[in-house]
Amino acid sequence: MKSGFVAVAGKPNVGKSTLINALMKRKVVIVSDKPQTTRNRVNCILNTQDAQIVLVDTPGIHKPLHKFGEYMVKIAVNALKGQDLILFLIDPIDKIRESDLNIAKIIKESKIPTILVINKIDSATPEQIKEAEERIKTVLDKNSNIIAEFKISALTGENLSELLEKIIDTLPEGPQYYPEDMTTDRPLAFMISELIREKIFHLTSEEIPHSTAVVVEEITNKEDLVYIRAEIYIERQSQKGIIIGQKGRMIKKIGMLARKDIEMLLDDRVYLDLYVKVKDKWRQKDSIIMNTIGLKNDLQ
Ligand SMILES: Nc1nc2c(ncn2[C@@H]2O[C@H](COP(=O)(O)OP(=O)(O)OP(=O)(O)O)[C@@H](O)[C@H]2O)c(=O)[nH]1
Ligand SMILES: [Mg+2]
């Protein structure tokens, strides 16, 4: 069989996680319209008739503003190392910026075969697409490791089957790395915390989503449902009121939407108990980032 690891890389918000869900034909990783949604590496396992493709979701590579951001970028850059193939996503609507050119340089130096993927063609103009192509090729020229180029829409699915065919074509003959029934390499508690965090990203704005972390503290199978207790970390006392909302409306909404997604994931009824905790400036604190939010393994 064909098998291998395919890292999906690019700056924040280019559609990396959306593309992975589209190729997986189900929602596995979380998505939002805000940059820096993905914070960890997540391996998503796609089994086809004669291939196993491990799609590696990565945080967007950007110029970090705090310790947590530095770790996210480190995780993303580390996640490229030793992979069989890279999908390098760019967004022609947002134009090609310094961060795209930096990622292009990292990719060029890696020498890993790379497919250049121009995403969001459903909304980009032909001029925007042409300009993006030309700009990125100032770094990734003919002599670089770009083996193919695709113009796609992760949102509408345009050209995705062709892209998938090319990915399989490029992968080597290899073993089945993961059991067939496994969808990701992350534990259930992590996937649940991500679904809660996604709702916070959807429902809040400005600095709130980025100041938030979610940790699942308990998952207990009860007679007729699964009891889940999770803590939402925020950085300042003043943010607590926003997450809880007037008469508790915001936290109720986060809980209700997250519960629906978690019930789909577990295929069971869920009672979701959410608590909000102030962890003063957690994004600057190694001990919380490493131990509580669990980045330790990713950074090694
Ligand atoms: N129009 C359009 N929007 C898209 C497409 N793909 C993704 N998006 C939107 O782009 C935004 C970001 O998508 P994500 O998949 O979260 O992007 P990401 O690259 O994983 O972002 P980070 O995790 O922050 O690095 C969302 O609002 C998506 O709906 C596309 O093909 N067309
Ligand atoms: Mg993402």
Side-chain angles (χ1 to χ4, degrees), residues 10-19 30-39 57-61 89 91 93 119-123 152-156:
K11 75 180 168 195
N13 222 38
V14 290
K16 300 179 291 299
S17 305
T18 307
L19 173 61
I30 65 165
V31 164
S32 91
D33 61 359
K34 300 181 179 68
Q36 294 166 41
T37 303
T38 304
R39 294 174 171 175
D57 197 10
T58 64
I61 298 176
L89 261 68
D91 175 354
I93 303 167
N119 191 26
K120 307 196 184 183
I121 59 163
D122 56 286
S123 342
I152 64 148
S153 168
L155 208 59
T156 65

Side-chain angles (χ1 to χ4, degrees), residues 12 35-36 38-40 59-77 210-211 235 281-286 289 293 295 299:
Q36 294 166 41
T38 304
R39 294 174 171 175
N40 302 63
I61 298 176
H62 61 283
K63 218 182 201 158
L65 297 174
H66 41 69
K67 220 172 219 178
F68 187 53
E70 277 170 34
Y71 289 138
M72 280 164 62
V73 173
K74 201 167 165 196
I75 286 170
V77 175
H210 298 105
S211 313
E235 288 202 307
K281 297 199 186 104
W282 67 263
R283 282 185 292 176
Q284 297 288 5
K285 290 185 179 157
D286 266 338
I289 296 170
I293 300 168
L295 292 194
L299 286 161

Side-chain angles (χ1 to χ4, degrees), residues 152-171:
I152 64 148
S153 168
L155 208 59
T156 65
E158 202 175 341
N159 293 335
L160 289 194
S161 51
E162 290 83 353
L163 173 63
L164 184 61
E165 215 170 283
K166 181 72 187 175
I167 294 171
I168 296 173
D169 218 39
T170 311
L171 289 181

